Amino acid sequence: MKSSIRSSGIRSSRGARRSAAAVAVSAVLALTATACGDDGSGSSGDKGAEGSGKGEITFWDNNGGVRTDIWKEIIADFEKANPDIDVKYVPIAATEYQSKVDTSIQAKGLPDVGGVGAAMLAGFAAQNALEPLDDRLGKSSLNGKLNEDMVKSLKAAGGGGADDSTLYSVPTSANNGVLYYRTDLFKSAGLDAPTTWDKFYDSADKLTDKDKNAFGYTIRGGAGSIAQALDAMYGQSGITSFWDNGNEKTTVNDPKNVAALEKYTALFKKVTPAADLNNDFTKMVAQWDSGTIGMLNHNLGSYQDHVKALGADKFRGIPQPIGPGGKRVQVSNPVDGLGIFKTSKNKDAAWKFIEFATEKAQNSKFNESAGQVPSNTDAAKDAWVSKAEPTKLAAEALTDGSTTIVQLPYYLPDWNTISKTDNEPAFQKVLNGSLSEKEFLDTLADQLNTAQTEWNEQKG
């Protein structure tokens, strides 16, 4: 195999992330730069080049380690089909990817192609680091073969929520929040499936026996904690919009959400392991797969891990619990995709790689491995989709009218900084009892309202 793997541990400080976010806000009009007279150059002034369509390209995986094996398969297939192109594969952990890219934008060290999901898209695009892809897609065999909602989601994330915004990332997959539960443990305890929030809390309590190291639930206290907390909040409160008062004021600190978070965080160390305070998704998933914990909130992406660890007959993955009035409310999960960085000297070859990775066979292979919903509409018809129960149930919940999705503001260039760098440590203080849920949510709301106001002003 011609592709090579190297690891990267580059991290930016909080100040560096803030600096990058500030650049993003000030440069936000560059989101539609080609329509507003910009010269098309990247943040470093390097316009890149189409290249020969041959030679070497570098690909940064935004979920390195977790998806390394499947990407190595796809790269091997690509290099076999395109013997004049070599792909240098660089796996980067999901928790480090944004800071790696932000640092590399300033250091002029970006790859040709990389993972660009909705959650980080606005920040990268606002720094003018991404190549617009509308024209390339329009001329491609992929045109008309990609899920329209996923394409719209990525356009909205990169362009302030407008459906006619520029496409900077080609969708590869969609995710969805899932409540995994151990059917064997539930059966032994005589418990029903945790389909409502009342049943969820009751089950978490009854499945906990600390003397036997058995816990009802594992809560995410480390990296990625905010999205899971928001899901629990809105799911219980039943609030269906992230913004109120003409899209100027967030609902995160609505009294109903405060009460919901208070009930949720009270689970920590009562029905959860103490180690949850620092657990990101990899540690949380590994802990659930190897222990006797009743329930886990994650997404479709960990389904295959659970199958390998437990066997398909010992667990189920169902949509999030139903809340008040029989409604299911979930926060949006970001669509993942692939983008070309504007400084690439071989954009033609980079686009060939994106096309190959998102055509039917490869897109199906990738998403079967990841347990996610394919972006390629032909791949989405493959038999495995209906056989993987969590994926099937998630797709049904999103299309049968039973679920309301609260759209998170991925379009805010500062979204990732606010939801990760600024507030993940604060959420740990909430779990430890040194910060109240109301104080936490009021601070989060102030930051979001400020970011939204700045965004609206930039848009004019």
Side-chain angles (χ1 to χ4, degrees):
M1 181 174 181
K2 294 180 285 186
S3 57
S4 60
I5 299 177
R6 60 180 174 86
S7 298
S8 173
I10 295 177
R11 295 174 181 266
S12 66
S13 66
R14 176 172 175 169
R17 286 196 182 189
R18 269 298 185 190
S19 177
V23 171
V25 172
S26 65
V28 74
L29 293 180
L31 285 169
T32 53
T34 55
C36 300
D38 188 89
D39 66 1
S41 62
S43 61
S44 65
D46 186 347
K47 299 180 183 180
E50 286 299 307
S52 65
K54 301 178 181 180
E56 183 179 87
I57 58 172
T58 298
F59 165 51
W60 284 5
D61 178 6
N62 61 339
N63 202 359
V66 178
R67 302 284 174 249
T68 292
D69 288 344
I70 187 61
W71 273 122
K72 287 172 69 176
E73 283 187 37
I74 292 172
I75 289 169
D77 290 343
F78 175 75
E79 291 179 333
K80 184 177 180 180
N82 298 270
D84 51 2
I85 302 176
D86 293 336
V87 179
K88 180 182 288 186
Y89 170 76
V90 183
I92 302 173
T95 53
E96 299 180 2
Y97 191 77
Q98 183 189 1
S99 62
K100 170 72 171 175
V101 173
D102 282 339
T103 300
S104 298
I105 289 172
Q106 305 307 314
K108 307 177 184 179
L110 291 167
D112 299 280
V113 61
V116 183
M120 62 188 73
L121 177 54
F124 297 164
Q127 295 178 79
N128 206 17
L130 296 170
E131 179 79 2
L133 300 176
D134 297 272
D135 288 345
R136 296 177 195 272
L137 180 59
K139 299 173 184 176
S140 171
S141 60
L142 287 175
N143 193 27
K145 292 292 186 179
L146 297 177
N147 183 288
E148 291 184 7
D149 289 335
M150 295 187 201
V151 173
K152 288 180 180 179
S153 178
L154 288 178
K155 282 189 174 186
D163 288 341
D164 59 350
S165 299
T166 302
L167 180 70
Y168 292 104
S169 180
V170 173
T172 55
S173 56
N175 218 328
N176 197 50
V178 177
L179 178 60
Y180 292 103
Y181 72 98
R182 289 281 299 272
T183 51
D184 55 342
L185 300 180
F186 270 69
K187 183 177 180 180
S188 296
L191 296 170
D192 294 333
T195 53
T196 68
W197 282 102
D198 286 342
K199 290 182 178 179
F200 166 81
Y201 282 106
D202 182 59
S203 298
D205 183 60
K206 290 181 178 177
L207 290 171
T208 299
D209 187 341
K210 294 181 181 179
D211 292 337
K212 296 182 180 179
N213 201 37
F215 298 93
Y217 184 59
T218 174
I219 197 169
R220 190 167 180 170
S225 59
I226 305 303
Q228 181 171 301
L230 291 174
D231 221 2
M233 286 162 43
Y234 282 90
Q236 294 175 81
S237 71
I239 296 171
T240 58
S241 176
F242 195 80
W243 299 104
D244 202 355
N245 292 348
N247 290 336
E248 293 182 355
K249 183 180 179 182
T250 181
T251 58
V252 292
N253 61 337
D254 183 283
K256 291 181 180 178
N257 275 334
V258 174
L261 186 62
E262 289 172 344
K263 188 172 184 179
Y264 183 69
T265 55
L267 296 173
F268 179 59
K269 291 200 294 188
K270 179 183 177 184
V271 299
T272 79
D276 281 355
L277 182 68
N278 297 305
N279 280 355
D280 60 11
F281 85 91
T282 53
K283 293 177 183 176
M284 186 176 65
V285 166
Q287 179 179 257
W288 192 72
D289 286 344
S290 62
T292 52
I293 300 174
M295 294 177 289
L296 161 75
N297 268 120
H298 192 229
N299 55 46
L300 295 170
S302 60
Y303 172 68
Q304 293 296 342
D305 294 324
H306 308 322
V307 172
K308 292 176 184 176
L310 301 170
D313 60 335
K314 288 187 178 180
F315 79 97
R316 288 186 70 201
I318 61 175
Q320 298 286 52
I322 293 170
K327 297 189 301 181
R328 179 185 293 112
V329 178
Q330 294 183 204
V331 300
S332 55
N333 274 262
V335 174
D336 205 5
L338 295 170
I340 297 174
F341 288 98
K342 189 167 285 189
T343 53
S344 169
K345 299 298 192 296
N346 204 346
K347 295 174 184 175
D348 187 43
W351 177 250
K352 288 179 182 178
F353 177 71
I354 291 177
E355 279 189 309
F356 185 86
T358 47
E359 58 88 19
K360 179 183 183 295
Q362 302 299 329
N363 191 242
S364 182
K365 179 191 294 186
F366 176 84
N367 282 287
E368 183 174 13
S369 172
Q372 298 175 172
V373 181
S375 62
N376 187 295
T377 53
D378 290 334
K381 299 173 185 176
D382 283 353
W384 71 264
V385 176
S386 60
K387 292 179 181 178
E389 186 187 33
T391 305
K392 178 183 178 181
L393 292 177
E396 290 175 351
L398 292 174
T399 57
D400 65 6
S402 65
T403 303
T404 300
I405 300 296
V406 177
Q407 296 295 337
L408 298 181
Y410 300 123
Y411 57 83
L412 291 176
D414 213 19
W415 166 252
N416 259 19
T417 303
I418 292 172
S419 64
K420 293 180 179 294
T421 312
D422 289 352
N423 285 291
E424 285 177 354
F427 184 70
Q428 290 181 318
K429 291 181 180 180
V430 173
L431 293 178
N432 273 333
S434 59
L435 182 69
S436 76
E437 288 80 0
K438 186 177 187 305
E439 290 173 320
F440 168 73
L441 291 177
D442 283 344
T443 299
L444 177 60
D446 286 344
Q447 293 171 332
L448 289 165
N449 290 339
T450 297
Q452 178 75 348
T453 297
E454 291 175 350
W455 178 252
N456 287 336
E457 289 173 353
Q458 289 284 358
K459 288 180 67 180

